[in-house]
Amino acid sequence: MEETIEVTSAARIPTQHAEALPDTAVRYAEERHWDVFPGTWLECAEGTERCSCGDPACAAPGAHPAREDWAAQATGSATVARRLWQKQPKASILLPTGRTFDAIDVPETAGFLALARMERMELTLGPVTRTPGRRTQFFVLPGAAAKVPDLVRGLGWPPAALDLVALGEGAHVAAPPTRVGASGAVQWACRPTAANRWLPDVEEIISPLAYACGREARR
């Protein structure tokens, strides 16, 4: 496996199930000022865990919006977040992109290669998640989704040639410690800390990300 980056966290936000989901959702709103909203959750039925949406073929069991108006439901208020999760304490924690951050989603292997390269370049990183679907998601300043296609072209790549997706307005990501069915939980590859409260602009990290994705594409 490619080199991983350990970031020591001074924050109280947990990496796994150290705290209940409601407490974690409240901390994201309170400490990071991220908008949060509750998604679906996992229910045990006949000895197996299934998504609360009821679809046996759910693509993201326990980790997708539970209602169509999720964007309007998302809140940056810790008080409102606590009230939302009191109604369903097992609900997943979802974060809308395009507000306080966008996210650059790349394959896990490319993500860890880029992380190692960024460390050597001494680039400032924001939080980075690692999903059970073997993806890494880099949090950057809002507006990245509009910039990425031209930035990638400027580096000599047709955007369609790279498995690099910018998530902006209208999209969302699942936050740790949300579980995705039997695949496992979303984790932090780089945890939220006091040092990375200020997010990088996508222009600062797009080169190592595109390089890593291009290397994967050539394999």
Side-chain angles (χ1 to χ4, degrees):
M1 178 180 291
E2 267 71 10
E3 180 181 0
T4 60
I5 307 299
E6 272 302 321
V7 178
T8 301
S9 175
R12 293 178 293 154
I13 295 172
T15 56
Q16 293 291 328
H17 290 274
E19 298 185 54
L21 285 162
D23 290 338
T24 306
V26 169
R27 290 184 189 279
Y28 287 146
E30 188 172 60
E31 298 180 4
R32 301 300 293 197
H33 304 294
W34 290 339
D35 283 4
V36 297
F37 68 97
T40 53
W41 57 91
L42 295 173
E43 296 179 330
C44 188
E46 299 177 356
T48 60
E49 287 186 317
R50 296 180 181 176
C51 185
S52 61
C53 72
D55 181 359
C58 181
H64 63 85
R67 40 194 277 184
E68 292 184 2
D69 64 341
W70 60 264
Q73 185 188 29
T75 179
S77 165
T79 301
V80 175
R82 186 174 299 281
R83 186 162 62 243
L84 289 172
W85 266 269
Q86 282 175 344
K87 296 177 181 178
Q88 179 45 257
K90 295 191 298 180
S92 54
I93 304 173
L94 304 181
L95 312 175
T97 51
R99 299 189 183 186
T100 51
F101 65 87
D102 281 4
I104 308 302
D105 180 285
V106 300
E108 181 182 87
T109 304
F112 283 128
L113 175 63
L115 280 170
R117 190 175 180 86
M118 289 176 194
E119 183 183 52
R120 291 193 296 271
M121 296 169 68
E122 299 184 347
L123 294 180
T124 300
L125 288 177
V128 182
T129 62
R130 176 186 185 185
T131 76
R134 300 185 66 81
R135 308 287 296 185
T136 48
Q137 298 172 329
F138 292 72
F139 289 19
V140 295
L141 288 173
K147 297 179 181 179
V148 162
D150 285 341
L151 290 173
V152 170
R153 290 189 192 96
L155 292 169
W157 293 94
L162 300 182
D163 187 1
L164 184 155
V165 181
L167 303 173
E169 186 175 359
H172 64 275
V173 297
T178 294
R179 285 183 55 212
V180 186
S183 300
V186 181
Q187 302 178 45
W188 290 115
C190 288
R191 295 181 285 173
T193 69
N196 65 18
R197 184 173 297 278
W198 303 105
L199 301 176
D201 191 289
V202 67
E203 295 179 21
E204 300 172 45
I205 65 170
I206 192 64
S207 178
L209 282 172
Y211 168 81
C213 289
R215 177 170 162 174
E216 285 300 296
R218 290 192 295 266
R219 285 188 175 182

